[in-house]
Amino acid sequence: MHMTITRATLLGLLLAVFAPLAWAHSPFAAAADERLPAWLTAGLLLVLWACYLRGCVRVWPGAGAVSLFHVGLALGGLAVLGPLDDWAETSTSAHMTQHMVFMVVVPPLFVLSRPLPQLSAGGARRLSALWNPLLRLTQRPMLTAYVHGFIVWFWHTPKFYMLAVEHPWWHAVEHLLFIVSAGLFWWAVLRSSRLLVPWALLALLFTLMHTGFLGALLTFAREPLYGEARSLEDQQLAGLIMWVLGAIPYLLGAGWLGWRWLLTMQRRIGW
């Protein structure tokens, strides 16, 4: 049964990763200095995918976890290798959509899929020396929220925002930092112990507030903040994407954590 699901996801992800090759506006059809980061990213995604599939044969995580992982990987691949990456060079709203995918869509999907046993069994065991120290940070939800918040604001300041837009390698670094910091944040939130639920909820609300504030700044600014070539209306749309649409995953997570906290309190008082 699970091998049938694996074959289906194999085909689906192959189409998701290599479909951009046929798109006129994908990074693969861009200038030479942009093609190398695109091919390197595609290669890393394929290696990650291969390790996960190999690990699934050895340690089957369940159809639900496999689906979540593949949806997250496909969306991440499309966001960075598809036309959206090209549009992000001239459109603030497209760039913000990319950021939201890497902050509030792909990371929670990966965390919910719990892929580390499969990745380790699939050949990435040596990388555990890298991710184990990082996972210790997830025992402090507010710390992960502070780190992620710093990275969010750093890359949305005009100077470093344009640095990422104008230089493909810095753009790749920006994406990597978004995914790693958001991954640690969502890990600390979604996999928090009962004792850490209040701190995880506070970390979520803190992140919801400061990202909403950043979105509001972009929405109500009276002039383009990222160069005159970008229209004010497009910037306002980008602000609404972060402020309104970007808030939905945080609100869903806060509701779930609030429910967990309520159940814990009910057990303590014997309801």
Side-chain angles (χ1 to χ4, degrees), residues 116-128:
L116 295 187
Q118 286 70 45
L119 293 175
S120 182
R125 189 181 305 275
R126 294 181 179 179
L127 294 180
S128 62

PDB file of all heavy atoms in Angstrom, residues 116-128:
ATOM      1  N   LEU A 116      12.583  13.614  10.159  1.00  0.00           N
ATOM      2  CA  LEU A 116      13.968  13.330  10.545  1.00  0.00           C
ATOM      3  C   LEU A 116      14.291  11.838  10.608  1.00  0.00           C
ATOM      4  O   LEU A 116      15.376  11.427  10.168  1.00  0.00           O
ATOM      5  CB  LEU A 116      14.302  14.008  11.874  1.00  0.00           C
ATOM      6  CG  LEU A 116      14.285  15.547  11.860  1.00  0.00           C
ATOM      7  CD1 LEU A 116      14.787  16.101  13.181  1.00  0.00           C
ATOM      8  CD2 LEU A 116      15.112  16.092  10.709  1.00  0.00           C
ATOM      9  N   PRO A 117      13.421  10.978  11.151  1.00  0.00           N
ATOM     10  CA  PRO A 117      13.756   9.542  11.125  1.00  0.00           C
ATOM     11  C   PRO A 117      13.944   9.006   9.713  1.00  0.00           C
ATOM     12  O   PRO A 117      14.839   8.188   9.461  1.00  0.00           O
ATOM     13  CB  PRO A 117      12.550   8.895  11.817  1.00  0.00           C
ATOM     14  CG  PRO A 117      11.985   9.961  12.683  1.00  0.00           C
ATOM     15  CD  PRO A 117      12.188  11.234  11.917  1.00  0.00           C
ATOM     16  N   GLN A 118      13.117   9.463   8.778  1.00  0.00           N
ATOM     17  CA  GLN A 118      13.232   8.995   7.402  1.00  0.00           C
ATOM     18  C   GLN A 118      14.499   9.544   6.739  1.00  0.00           C
ATOM     19  O   GLN A 118      15.209   8.816   6.044  1.00  0.00           O
ATOM     20  CB  GLN A 118      11.999   9.420   6.587  1.00  0.00           C
ATOM     21  CG  GLN A 118      10.748   8.633   6.901  1.00  0.00           C
ATOM     22  CD  GLN A 118      10.194   8.939   8.287  1.00  0.00           C
ATOM     23  OE1 GLN A 118      10.102  10.117   8.671  1.00  0.00           O
ATOM     24  NE2 GLN A 118       9.813   7.918   9.035  1.00  0.00           N
ATOM     25  N   LEU A 119      14.784  10.824   6.952  1.00  0.00           N
ATOM     26  CA  LEU A 119      15.994  11.399   6.376  1.00  0.00           C
ATOM     27  C   LEU A 119      17.246  10.736   6.933  1.00  0.00           C
ATOM     28  O   LEU A 119      18.204  10.461   6.200  1.00  0.00           O
ATOM     29  CB  LEU A 119      16.036  12.911   6.647  1.00  0.00           C
ATOM     30  CG  LEU A 119      14.968  13.748   5.934  1.00  0.00           C
ATOM     31  CD1 LEU A 119      15.040  15.193   6.388  1.00  0.00           C
ATOM     32  CD2 LEU A 119      15.129  13.660   4.423  1.00  0.00           C
ATOM     33  N   SER A 120      17.232  10.461   8.221  1.00  0.00           N
ATOM     34  CA  SER A 120      18.375   9.801   8.841  1.00  0.00           C
ATOM     35  C   SER A 120      18.554   8.388   8.297  1.00  0.00           C
ATOM     36  O   SER A 120      19.662   7.977   7.948  1.00  0.00           O
ATOM     37  CB  SER A 120      18.185   9.757  10.361  1.00  0.00           C
ATOM     38  OG  SER A 120      19.301   9.157  10.998  1.00  0.00           O
ATOM     39  N   ALA A 121      17.444   7.657   8.203  1.00  0.00           N
ATOM     40  CA  ALA A 121      17.516   6.284   7.679  1.00  0.00           C
ATOM     41  C   ALA A 121      17.834   6.257   6.199  1.00  0.00           C
ATOM     42  O   ALA A 121      18.355   5.264   5.689  1.00  0.00           O
ATOM     43  CB  ALA A 121      16.195   5.565   7.937  1.00  0.00           C
ATOM     44  N   GLY A 122      17.564   7.358   5.518  1.00  0.00           N
ATOM     45  CA  GLY A 122      17.786   7.414   4.078  1.00  0.00           C
ATOM     46  C   GLY A 122      19.176   7.842   3.661  1.00  0.00           C
ATOM     47  O   GLY A 122      19.455   7.962   2.463  1.00  0.00           O
ATOM     48  N   GLY A 123      20.041   8.119   4.616  1.00  0.00           N
ATOM     49  CA  GLY A 123      21.407   8.462   4.268  1.00  0.00           C
ATOM     50  C   GLY A 123      21.911   9.780   4.815  1.00  0.00           C
ATOM     51  O   GLY A 123      23.064  10.137   4.602  1.00  0.00           O
ATOM     52  N   ALA A 124      21.048  10.515   5.520  1.00  0.00           N
ATOM     53  CA  ALA A 124      21.462  11.822   6.050  1.00  0.00           C
ATOM     54  C   ALA A 124      21.811  11.752   7.529  1.00  0.00           C
ATOM     55  O   ALA A 124      21.764  12.761   8.229  1.00  0.00           O
ATOM     56  CB  ALA A 124      20.355  12.846   5.825  1.00  0.00           C
ATOM     57  N   ARG A 125      22.159  10.564   8.009  1.00  0.00           N
ATOM     58  CA  ARG A 125      22.438  10.400   9.440  1.00  0.00           C
ATOM     59  C   ARG A 125      23.578  11.306   9.910  1.00  0.00           C
ATOM     60  O   ARG A 125      23.563  11.825  11.021  1.00  0.00           O
ATOM     61  CB  ARG A 125      22.777   8.940   9.729  1.00  0.00           C
ATOM     62  CG  ARG A 125      22.878   8.605  11.213  1.00  0.00           C
ATOM     63  CD  ARG A 125      23.247   7.133  11.406  1.00  0.00           C
ATOM     64  NE  ARG A 125      22.322   6.249  10.720  1.00  0.00           N
ATOM     65  CZ  ARG A 125      21.177   5.845  11.243  1.00  0.00           C
ATOM     66  NH1 ARG A 125      20.815   6.262  12.444  1.00  0.00           N
ATOM     67  NH2 ARG A 125      20.397   5.025  10.567  1.00  0.00           N
ATOM     68  N   ARG A 126      24.573  11.499   9.047  1.00  0.00           N
ATOM     69  CA  ARG A 126      25.712  12.328   9.434  1.00  0.00           C
ATOM     70  C   ARG A 126      25.306  13.783   9.672  1.00  0.00           C
ATOM     71  O   ARG A 126      25.974  14.498  10.429  1.00  0.00           O
ATOM     72  CB  ARG A 126      26.796  12.260   8.367  1.00  0.00           C
ATOM     73  CG  ARG A 126      27.435  10.878   8.227  1.00  0.00           C
ATOM     74  CD  ARG A 126      28.519  10.876   7.163  1.00  0.00           C
ATOM     75  NE  ARG A 126      29.146   9.568   7.027  1.00  0.00           N
ATOM     76  CZ  ARG A 126      30.107   9.279   6.164  1.00  0.00           C
ATOM     77  NH1 ARG A 126      30.560  10.234   5.332  1.00  0.00           N
ATOM     78  NH2 ARG A 126      30.613   8.065   6.099  1.00  0.00           N
ATOM     79  N   LEU A 127      24.238  14.201   9.028  1.00  0.00           N
ATOM     80  CA  LEU A 127      23.783  15.576   9.209  1.00  0.00           C
ATOM     81  C   LEU A 127      23.104  15.789  10.561  1.00  0.00           C
ATOM     82  O   LEU A 127      22.805  16.922  10.922  1.00  0.00           O
ATOM     83  CB  LEU A 127      22.817  15.962   8.085  1.00  0.00           C
ATOM     84  CG  LEU A 127      23.411  16.026   6.681  1.00  0.00           C
ATOM     85  CD1 LEU A 127      22.345  16.419   5.680  1.00  0.00           C
ATOM     86  CD2 LEU A 127      24.575  17.016   6.629  1.00  0.00           C
ATOM     87  N   SER A 128      22.860  14.708  11.291  1.00  0.00           N
ATOM     88  CA  SER A 128      22.260  14.861  12.618  1.00  0.00           C
ATOM     89  C   SER A 128      23.151  15.680  13.536  1.00  0.00           C
ATOM     90  O   SER A 128      22.669  16.330  14.463  1.00  0.00           O
ATOM     91  CB  SER A 128      21.969  13.492  13.239  1.00  0.00           C
ATOM     92  OG  SER A 128      23.170  12.753  13.419  1.00  0.00           O
TER      93      SER A 128
END
